[in-house]
Amino acid sequence: MAKTKLRAEAYGSLEEFRADVNLIAEKILEVRKLEVARDKAVQRILDERNPEIQALTEEAKAIMARADVYAKQHREEVFPAGAKTSETELCTYFLRLGNPTLTALNSKWNEKAQVDACKADPCWQQFVRVKESLDKDAIKAAGFSDSELAFKGLRISQSERLTVEPKVSNL
């Protein structure tokens, strides 16, 4: 969606501007009151339903763990010859092969040991990443001048926009 610049309608006086700002605050407070009522209703329903949902989820996980072990140990019995799926009157089931992941061979091999081993072998050095990036917070804190920043292709920019914060006492 393309951004379009809004044209500010001219206010005839400061009072008109302040009236609109107060109107904004009223609308924000209305929204917050409605959000609080909505959130309370949602929380009430969550509190009411979550124990049953949690119990059923845990029960299903326990049964799934038991069924998983059985399916792996009795593959020929669970799946017809040559098939990778089977079904019951309520579902289709299959053993899904997950995505390949690269993991440590054993606890001796932490990431540093793996990186060091790859660095030591010229054929494996290409697989070691070195990511360089600017420490933008440190650059901002260093207080460089605009010309010093520009020489490095940088600038510090800030935007300014009107913010209306309604007084909480009106909530």
Side-chain angles (χ1 to χ4, degrees), residues 6 31 62 90 97 134 168:
L6 297 176
V31 167
L90 294 179
L97 192 59
L134 292 177
V168 180

Side-chain angles (χ1 to χ4, degrees), residues 133-140:
S133 64
L134 292 177
D135 186 349
K136 293 180 180 181
D137 291 330
I139 292 171
K140 287 188 287 186

Side-chain angles (χ1 to χ4, degrees), residues 2 5 13 25 28 47 53 56 58 77 82 88 104-105 128 155 168:
K5 287 195 172 193
S13 67
I28 292 171
D47 291 343
I53 291 169
L56 287 171
E58 292 302 319
E77 185 181 332
T88 69
L105 181 62
V128 178
R155 68 184 168 104
V168 180

Side-chain angles (χ1 to χ4, degrees):
M1 176 183 241
K3 272 189 172 181
T4 57
K5 287 195 172 193
L6 297 176
R7 292 188 58 184
E9 187 177 308
Y11 287 98
S13 67
L14 178 59
E15 288 76 29
E16 287 179 16
F17 170 78
R18 287 183 172 212
D20 265 3
V21 171
N22 282 334
L23 185 60
I24 293 167
E26 288 174 9
K27 298 297 179 191
I28 292 171
L29 288 173
E30 284 181 48
V31 167
R32 287 185 184 167
K33 285 178 185 177
L34 290 172
E35 287 173 340
V36 166
R38 176 202 61 203
D39 293 347
K40 283 182 179 178
V42 168
Q43 190 60 51
R44 189 181 75 255
I45 292 169
L46 288 173
D47 291 343
E48 179 182 303
R49 302 290 179 155
N50 273 345
E52 184 179 3
I53 291 169
Q54 187 66 32
L56 287 171
T57 301
E58 292 302 319
E59 189 178 340
K61 282 182 183 178
I63 296 168
M64 176 65 88
R66 189 173 66 224
D68 182 62
V69 170
Y70 185 86
K72 288 174 184 172
Q73 291 176 351
H74 299 89
R75 188 179 307 260
E76 301 81 26
E77 185 181 332
V78 172
F79 299 104
K84 294 184 179 185
T85 65
S86 192
E87 57 185 48
T88 69
E89 55 279 351
L90 294 179
C91 69
T92 301
Y93 59 90
F94 48 92
L95 289 172
R96 176 176 287 161
L97 192 59
N99 292 330
T101 58
L102 196 59
T103 58
L105 181 62
N106 54 41
S107 60
K108 170 190 164 201
W109 291 97
N110 62 24
E111 189 171 1
K112 183 181 179 343
Q114 293 164 348
V115 169
D116 290 344
C118 290
K119 279 182 176 179
D121 185 340
C123 294
W124 282 77
Q125 288 176 356
Q126 64 181 332
F127 300 111
V128 178
R129 278 190 269 193
V130 178
K131 182 179 177 188
E132 293 180 345
S133 64
L134 292 177
D135 186 349
K136 293 180 180 181
D137 291 330
I139 292 171
K140 287 188 287 186
F144 290 110
S145 69
D146 289 344
S147 60
E148 289 173 312
L149 290 170
F151 188 70
K152 302 296 182 199
L154 301 167
R155 68 184 168 104
I156 293 178
S157 61
Q158 284 182 289
S159 61
E160 179 179 60
R161 54 188 270 199
L162 178 68
T163 302
V164 176
E165 275 297 322
K167 296 180 180 171
V168 180
S169 60
N170 295 327
L171 191 60

